[in-house]
Amino acid sequence: MTTLRQFEYLVTVVDTGSFTRAAELLHVTQPALSHQVRALERALGGPLLERLPRAVRPTPMGRAVLPHARAALADAERLRAAALGAAGLACGELELATVYSVSLGLLPPVLRAWRAAHPEVRIRLREFAHTEDLRAAMTAGQADVAVGPLPTGWEGPIRELGEEEFVLVLPSDGPGKQAGREGQDDAPVPLAALAGRDWVHYAPGNGLADVLDAACAAAGFRPGVAVRTEQTAAAPLLAAAGLGPALVPANIVPPGFDGLVRRPEPPVRRPLVAYTRSRPDALTTAFVELLAHRVRLLPDIAAGGAAGGSAGGSAGGPAGSADVPTDGFS
């Protein structure tokens, strides 16, 4: 018979890569930890861990079991938090997963408001470079709620937040200023006008690389690459420094930014949602409601002439759509 404690031992050993370190974190002896892992292996019918001279790694069976073990532990923690909340005690911890660009631009003011309203609730934030990594983490039970681009084929509850707006960033003294229509300094810049430029691009593992490639492909060209960055926040700074144009979420452009910010033509947007695996508990629902009403998808730096227009949810309210299931959040 398997137990949650055995699942916790397995996950900790894999995460640390060491029985010794895992035993220290779990405050148990190493022989006791090894005994429980072996008992779990006997119960499941095969080896879960490969014990190497200087490391430990999961076997194929271990890799198959691991997501379910993580999900079981997450469900147990949610049960505990629900029980504590019903008893009028501390509400525990909310595990939140997102992509880098959202954690940089959208979440800080939302988390500040949440902290003010619920100081007794701890937030554990997990950040991922790509939408597919975020989706995989949610499937594996690593968070209570995910905030990011709409996941493909997601069957759990989804709450639409609106559309994230992208802007172009160019050096303030560069040729982008002449790319707008009719000589207007704040006019949108046709993406096709930048076809011959080398861009500030993103590393292949960063999901924004896909956004840039798709936008340029729709405009009829493939972007040249001046530099690739793994750090989302670095893109507008590198563009302003003169390395080339960058396509960035409007919300990550810092206040007082001295680069040239323009809205691309055609506009580049992507829907953002909050989603869970199953019907959310009261704590998760409360966070999603606050998120939907406090999130600003189009900040002041892009809401005026340079980036013009307004995406859904830009004033803080959620955008609705009959095509996306929202059961569980209403």
Side-chain angles (χ1 to χ4, degrees):
M1 179 180 178
T2 61
T3 67
L4 285 172
R5 190 64 170 165
Q6 290 172 340
F7 288 156
E8 184 181 18
Y9 287 174
L10 173 66
V11 168
T12 306
V13 171
V14 171
D15 287 349
T16 60
S18 162
F19 275 87
T20 301
R21 181 59 179 150
E24 293 173 355
L25 292 176
L26 293 166
H27 304 290
V28 297
T29 65
Q30 187 171 333
L33 173 62
S34 298
H35 174 76
Q36 287 299 318
V37 170
R38 286 195 297 269
L40 179 60
E41 290 176 324
R42 287 194 300 271
L44 296 179
L48 301 175
L49 298 173
E50 182 181 3
R51 295 152 177 85
L52 303 173
R54 295 184 178 276
V56 179
R57 65 187 298 270
T59 64
M61 179 182 288
R63 290 194 293 273
V65 167
L66 201 60
H68 301 285
R70 293 188 192 278
L73 293 171
D75 286 340
E77 180 58 29
R78 282 190 290 275
L79 184 150
R80 175 180 173 275
L84 291 173
L89 302 176
C91 293
E93 181 176 78
L94 180 69
E95 293 189 321
L96 172 63
T98 190
V99 289
Y100 290 147
S101 59
V102 171
S103 68
L104 284 169
L106 296 179
L107 285 183
V110 174
L111 293 178
R112 182 173 62 244
W114 174 262
R115 181 67 177 171
H118 304 277
E120 74 283 4
V121 178
R122 300 184 303 275
I123 296 286
R124 177 180 293 182
L125 181 62
R126 301 180 186 272
E127 300 166 277
F128 298 90
H130 200 282
T131 302
E132 289 304 313
D133 297 332
L134 175 62
R135 188 186 194 282
M138 278 299 293
T139 301
Q142 294 182 26
D144 301 307
V145 59
V147 181
L150 181 66
T152 304
W154 190 258
E155 297 181 355
I158 294 175
R159 176 65 176 269
E160 272 203 337
L161 302 174
E163 288 187 319
E164 181 181 35
E165 184 95 2
F166 284 77
V167 293
L168 289 166
V169 178
L170 306 105
S172 57
D173 57 351
K177 195 165 187 177
Q178 284 74 45
R181 287 189 172 181
E182 300 176 0
Q184 299 178 37
D185 286 348
D186 61 356
V189 174
L191 276 174
L194 302 174
R197 302 287 298 280
D198 286 336
W199 289 67
V200 174
H201 214 312
Y202 300 93
N206 190 313
L208 295 183
D210 298 340
V211 175
L212 174 57
D213 286 341
C216 293
F221 70 97
R222 182 175 180 178
V225 177
V227 62
R228 288 187 182 269
T229 177
E230 295 183 357
Q231 301 296 324
T232 302
L237 303 179
L238 293 171
L243 276 76
L247 184 70
V248 305
N251 279 282
I252 75 164
V253 179
F257 184 68
D258 60 0
L260 187 68
V261 180
R262 293 288 182 268
R263 184 177 180 178
E265 190 177 86
V268 179
R269 303 186 180 104
R270 66 176 176 178
L272 292 183
V273 300
Y275 59 99
T276 62
R277 289 180 302 281
S278 58
R279 184 172 294 274
D281 59 20
L283 187 62
T284 304
T285 299
F287 177 81
V288 172
E289 287 300 318
L290 184 142
L291 173 68
H293 288 90
R294 289 296 189 100
V295 70
R296 287 180 56 85
L297 294 176
L298 191 62
D300 294 339
I301 192 169
S310 175
S314 62
S321 171
D323 298 328
V324 179
T326 57
D327 55 295
F329 287 117
S330 56

